[in-house]
């Protein structure tokens, strides 16, 4: 789906992302890890076309990202940024989720029964169906984050980019979201790239983990290979313990 060749980002002579080579494929759940300022959000914004590379190339389905129209790119890639756009105080949750159908219907296009069914399914998948008629302004931070996740699901794009979608969620909803994304990857063959800070959740649900440090890729591989004291210290700069998980093959880490 995505292919990066020596892609790098520099702003005012400061390198945010050093030359990066790699692929992000369908049917795969990728977790991006690293300390604050390590380049995670820069990389995901690069994939989302929010940033242009200072050097190198990026391709989606074999085509340069610059060759895609905005609408056609949105049909392929859905993006949830770290900071979501401000909305009118009267916007209902259902109306927000309906925006996910814009790449298919257009801004003034009329929603068809198929579109309404996809909106209903997205609301149900994110446990927001009972809140569909509430205003977005009345939602808690966690509820609002789930509503925005529903927008992505309604968009029906085969690739999802999410920048810290768990930040405002309690632990129960964090687990729900990770399990939902994992299920969608398995059932629909989606490709997902998620910026995430919780090492244990990432190791439990992601297929492949990438870690950045000071703008450089320092690890890429399986959760099992990441979860070692030496590897975690190399990424985060703190000593961590790793112990077996009582119910899962991937161990857990703690400071």
């Amino acid at each position: 789906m995505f292919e990066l060749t020596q892609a790098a980002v520099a702003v005012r002579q400061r390198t945010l992302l050093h030359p990066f080579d790699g692929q992000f494929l369908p049917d795969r759940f990728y977790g991006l890890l690293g300390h604050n300022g390590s380049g995670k959000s820069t990389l995901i914004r690069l994939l989302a076309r929010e940033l242009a590379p200072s050097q190198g190339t990026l391709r989606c389905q074999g085509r340069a990202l610059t060759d895609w129209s905005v609408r056609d790119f949105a049909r392929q890639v859905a993006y949830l940024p770290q900071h979501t756009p401000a909305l009118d105080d009267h916007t209902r949750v259902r109306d927000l989720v309906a925006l996910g159908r814009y790449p298919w219907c257009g801004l003034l296009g009329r929603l068809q029964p198929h579109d309404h069914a996809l909106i209903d399914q997205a609301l149900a998948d994110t446990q927001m169906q009972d809140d569909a008629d509430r205003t977005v302004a009345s939602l808690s931070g966690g509820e609002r984050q789930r509503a925005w996740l529903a927008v992505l699901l309604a968009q029906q794009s085969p690739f999802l980019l999410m920048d810290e979608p768990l930040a405002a969620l309690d632990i129960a909803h964090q687990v729900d979201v990770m399990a939902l994304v994992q299920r969608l990857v398995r059932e629909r063959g989606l490709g997902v790239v998620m910026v995430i800070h919780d090492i244990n959740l990432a190791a439990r649900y992601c297929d492949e983990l990438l870690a950045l440090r000071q703008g450089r890729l320092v690890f890429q591989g399986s959760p099992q290979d990441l979860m070692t004291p030496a590897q975690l210290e190399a990424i985060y700069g703190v000593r961590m313990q790793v112990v077996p998980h009582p119910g899962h093959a991937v161990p857990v880490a703690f400071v």
Side-chain angles (χ1 to χ4, degrees), residues 1-5 22-24 46-49 53 56-77:
M1 178 67 74
F2 279 104
E3 183 177 1
L4 296 85
T5 305
Q23 291 183 325
F24 295 98
L46 198 60
L47 296 174
R49 300 205 310 183
T57 60
L58 292 90
R59 295 183 177 276
C60 177
Q61 292 191 354
R63 291 170 56 187
L65 260 61
T66 52
D67 291 345
W68 291 87
S69 70
V70 171
R71 189 169 174 180
D72 285 345
F73 188 72
R75 289 182 175 184
Q76 297 298 321
V77 180

Side-chain angles (χ1 to χ4, degrees), residues 19-178:
F20 185 100
D21 291 300
Q23 291 183 325
F24 295 98
L25 303 174
D27 198 21
R28 201 90 177 136
F29 188 180
Y30 297 90
L32 293 184
L33 299 165
H35 58 80
N36 292 337
S38 63
K40 305 182 301 298
S41 292
T42 299
L43 176 55
I44 208 163
R45 291 179 66 199
L46 198 60
L47 296 174
R49 300 205 310 183
E50 278 208 336
L51 289 175
S54 305
Q55 70 173 65
T57 60
L58 292 90
R59 295 183 177 276
C60 177
Q61 292 191 354
R63 291 170 56 187
L65 260 61
T66 52
D67 291 345
W68 291 87
S69 70
V70 171
R71 189 169 174 180
D72 285 345
F73 188 72
R75 289 182 175 184
Q76 297 298 321
V77 180
Y79 171 51
L80 181 62
Q82 188 173 350
H83 303 291
T84 53
L87 298 170
D88 184 277
D89 287 346
H90 302 292
T91 302
R92 296 185 311 154
V93 171
R94 180 178 293 278
D95 296 330
L96 171 63
V97 178
L99 294 177
R101 300 306 301 153
Y102 163 71
W104 306 95
C105 303
L107 190 59
L108 301 178
R110 185 166 182 169
L111 296 175
Q112 302 300 316
H114 171 69
D115 299 301
H116 288 293
L118 290 173
I119 292 167
D120 288 340
Q121 184 61 55
L123 288 165
D125 283 341
T126 54
Q127 302 176 33
M128 291 297 291
Q129 65 269 41
D130 294 336
D131 301 297
D133 292 322
R134 291 175 60 187
T135 62
V136 176
S138 72
L139 301 177
S140 69
E143 290 169 335
R144 191 172 303 186
Q145 193 74 344
R146 285 189 285 137
W148 278 104
L149 179 58
V151 177
L152 263 66
L153 300 184
Q155 195 168 324
Q156 290 285 291
S157 302
F159 214 93
L160 308 183
L161 306 174
M162 293 180 279
D163 193 352
E164 297 190 41
L166 309 183
L169 303 181
D170 58 60
I171 184 62
H173 284 114
Q174 288 181 12
V175 172
D176 287 343
V177 167
M178 293 298 286

Side-chain angles (χ1 to χ4, degrees), residues 41 65 67-68 73 76 78 81 92 106 121 150 165 172 176 181 185 195 207 209 213 220 223-224 227 244 255:
S41 292
L65 260 61
D67 291 345
W68 291 87
F73 188 72
Q76 297 298 321
R92 296 185 311 154
Q121 184 61 55
D176 287 343
V181 172
V185 170
V195 174
D207 299 307
L209 300 175
R213 185 174 175 85
Q220 181 172 1
Q224 289 89 342
M227 298 294 271
V255 177

